Amino acid sequence: VKYIDADGTGASGILLVGDSAWKDEQREGRVFAGAAGRTLDKILAMMPGGGLQRADTTIANTLWCSPPHLGWMDAPHRYPAAAAAIEHCRPHLDQLIVERQPRVIVPMGNVALRRVCGTSGIEAHAGYVLDSPYGIPVVPTYHPSFIMKGNHKLTPVVLWALSRALEIAQGTYKESQYDLLVDPDVATLRAYLAGPWDSDTLFVDIETPESASLDEEELEEKGPSFTIVRAGFSVRKG
């Protein structure tokens, strides 16, 4: 079992939290030393304003020791020892946060999200600003290894989360202001549509029973559904 410490200076105020070290990381004794690390470097270099250097972040894993196999921590209900291992390593990350005092934490993937915020569902939380038990804002995103597995189309989502985290770290972040009408009655809907309209373009998002499981790029191959569960649209700012 090889202990692998955190990396980076933390000068940016951003703490990146991953899953666990695997063969390349274990061999070099450094977090994100393998293919996932190279993917992370490429994404950081794509950020607006000339990119963000990995060395300027603090980067650590949820598990600071080597796991027995890949995916070990993805399903705690299948591997009870994984949950115990996370708790065993909890003081390492806690102490790191005390020492570095990051201005924002970016959990990458479900394992890190559960560790930092105690919640799951990276798909529902990616890019949003969450609270944490540490009193530090959290902006979850996908793990670079997930991006590598045929999910390169989600790279902009990761860039969005990292850019938002950088804004928080730099003190320039402004919370989005918006109003939502959820399942309005007919009279409320008519009043909304009566104006004012801020654009001549109508943006519509239609959800079908397959929306959660079907890739939008595959719609032409799978065929459209004619059952509409929800239609969301906006005709004005916010």
Side-chain angles (χ1 to χ4, degrees), residues 16-211:
L16 304 175
V17 181
D19 187 322
S20 57
W22 195 230
K23 293 181 179 179
D24 291 319
E25 288 80 6
Q26 293 170 23
R27 182 173 56 253
E28 297 188 27
R30 186 169 68 95
V31 292
F32 280 84
R38 291 190 290 274
T39 299
L40 176 61
D41 290 341
K42 291 178 182 177
I43 293 175
L44 291 174
M46 294 166 61
M47 290 182 62
L52 176 66
Q53 298 296 318
R54 184 217 289 229
D56 292 333
T57 70
T58 299
I59 184 166
N61 274 323
T62 297
L63 194 65
W64 290 42
C65 303
S66 302
H69 59 79
L70 283 173
W72 188 56
M73 301 200 303
D74 292 340
H77 60 285
R78 290 178 54 195
Y79 306 110
I86 292 174
E87 290 307 308
H88 175 77
C89 288
R90 179 175 292 274
H92 300 314
L93 186 59
D94 287 349
Q95 183 61 32
L96 180 69
I97 291 173
V98 171
E99 292 174 354
R100 293 291 179 94
Q101 289 294 302
R103 293 185 285 277
V104 61
I105 302 174
V106 181
M108 297 182 292
N110 263 321
V111 172
L113 178 59
R114 285 196 299 268
R115 166 61 182 86
V116 175
C117 292
T119 188
S120 296
I122 193 66
E123 296 85 359
H125 293 99
Y128 288 92
V129 180
L130 309 180
D131 295 326
S132 75
Y134 303 100
I136 299 171
V138 170
V139 186
T141 193
Y142 295 100
H143 195 285
S145 63
F146 181 73
I147 300 298
M148 290 166 45
K149 297 174 182 176
N151 296 300
H152 295 284
K153 65 186 178 183
L154 292 175
T155 299
V157 180
V158 180
L159 285 168
W160 167 264
L162 290 171
S163 298
R164 176 167 276 188
L166 186 59
E167 289 177 356
I168 294 173
Q170 294 176 339
T172 60
Y173 170 70
K174 293 182 179 179
E175 187 175 349
S176 301
Q177 300 295 321
Y178 55 86
D179 296 315
L180 295 178
L181 288 177
V182 182
D183 297 332
D185 56 46
V186 175
T188 303
L189 177 60
R190 283 177 174 164
Y192 172 77
L193 293 174
W197 288 39
D198 295 328
S199 172
D200 293 331
T201 304
L202 176 65
F203 296 93
V204 180
D205 176 45
I206 294 176
E207 296 181 21
T208 68
E210 299 84 11
S211 294

Side-chain angles (χ1 to χ4, degrees), residues 209-229:
E210 299 84 11
S211 294
S213 59
L214 183 62
D215 190 322
E216 291 185 2
E217 295 179 0
E218 299 175 351
L219 283 176
E220 293 184 3
E221 300 177 8
K222 297 292 181 66
S225 170
F226 294 96
T227 302
I228 297 176
V229 176

